[in-house]
């Protein structure tokens, strides 16, 4: 059992996966944590959206490939409904062509289904706290593999990028390459607090919700190129 983060109440979780055995495995892992509470399970995307509306869980662990409604569509429905619910995608990398789409739809991050239990628990706590989880290696491989799905880098970049300072653009590039705040601080020889401040300014100026959206925008705008 990993150490629980102090909280006024347990983090309420909805499991959305069409494979009952996988849901059982996740329930066993997460049930060992005193600050996590699985409130419901969904076997398809439509059920996940319905339960999200009715139960308002803090975090939905969302599979991508499900019957009736896939995870990308379900994520978009949850986000568009402005529910106080965060979505964490769990994917089998070799099969899912829709991860970039899920990030655009408003997911707060994604992990591989074979993620170590401790990393999954940490990711849930991170997402519930309002931050995002980006698996850097997977993200880079996905962006390389599906680069043709991204807009032309030569296209006019979003106007918001022009409002960033040189240092903020530099920080955004590092974020897009999957570096943590601590790693960015070491690369720029500044404090981690300073990096966190810069990241906050970047998100505010660009109207982004979290680091995941910042990563996608950096690639879509051509600020960072797949494979670079």
């Amino acid at each position: 059992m990993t150490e629980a983060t102090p909280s006024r109440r347990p983090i309420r979780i909805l499991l959305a996966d069409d494979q009952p055995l996988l849901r059982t495995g996740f329930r066993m892992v997460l049930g060992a944590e005193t600050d996590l509470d699985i409130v419901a399970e969904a076997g398809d995307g439509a059920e996940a959206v319905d339960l999200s509306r009715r139960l308002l869980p803090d975090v939905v662990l969302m599979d991508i490939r499900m019957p009736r409604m896939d995870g990308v569509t379900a994520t978009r429905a949850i986000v568009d409904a402005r529910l106080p619910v965060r979505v964490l995608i769990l994917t089998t990398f070799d099969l899912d062509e829709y991860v970039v789409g899920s990030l655009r739809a408003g997911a707060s991050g994604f992990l591989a289904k074979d993620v170590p239990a401790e990393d999954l628990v940490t990711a849930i706590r991170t997402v519930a706290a309002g931050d995002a989880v980006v698996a850097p290696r997977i993200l880079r491989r996905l962006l390389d593999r599906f680069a043709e799905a991204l807009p032309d880098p030569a296209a006019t970049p979003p106007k918001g990028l022009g409002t960033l300072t040189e240092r903020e653009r530099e920080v955004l590039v590092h974020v897009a390459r999957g570096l943590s705040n601590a790693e960015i601080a070491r690369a720029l020889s500044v404090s981690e607090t300073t990096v966190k401040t810069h990241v906050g300014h970047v998100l505010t100026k660009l109207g982004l919700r979290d680091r995941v959206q910042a990563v996608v925008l950096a690639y879509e705008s051509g600020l960072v190129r797949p494979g670079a």
Side-chain angles (χ1 to χ4, degrees), residues 15-23 42-45 47 61-69 113:
L15 301 178
D17 196 295
D18 63 334
Q19 299 185 45
L21 285 178
L22 280 178
R23 296 201 306 270
D44 59 65
E47 187 179 12
L61 294 187
M62 183 81 76
D63 185 23
I64 287 183
R65 292 187 174 236
M66 293 185 290
R68 294 181 64 199
M69 180 185 291
K113 281 188 176 179

Side-chain angles (χ1 to χ4, degrees), residues 108-186:
S108 294
F110 63 91
L111 298 172
K113 281 188 176 179
D114 60 355
V115 62
E118 184 173 345
D119 291 348
L120 175 60
V121 170
T122 299
I124 291 172
R125 291 173 180 151
T126 299
V127 168
D131 207 340
V133 176
V134 181
R137 295 176 184 174
I138 297 178
L139 181 60
R140 284 195 292 265
R141 288 173 63 188
L142 281 168
L143 289 169
D144 288 345
R145 181 176 176 181
F146 302 117
E148 67 274 9
L150 298 174
D152 182 359
T156 303
K159 294 180 180 179
L161 287 179
T163 67
L164 302 182
T165 66
E166 183 177 350
R167 179 46 62 92
E168 288 167 351
R169 287 173 68 96
E170 193 174 10
V171 168
L172 176 57
V173 168
H174 284 307
V175 168
R177 288 173 177 163
L179 274 65
S180 66
N181 284 353
E183 291 169 331
I184 296 173
R186 287 194 294 270

Side-chain angles (χ1 to χ4, degrees), residues 44-54 69 73-75 77-78 83:
D44 59 65
E47 187 179 12
V49 174
D50 177 61
L51 289 173
S52 293
R53 290 178 182 275
R54 291 195 287 113
M69 180 185 291
T73 304
T75 297
I78 290 171
L83 302 177

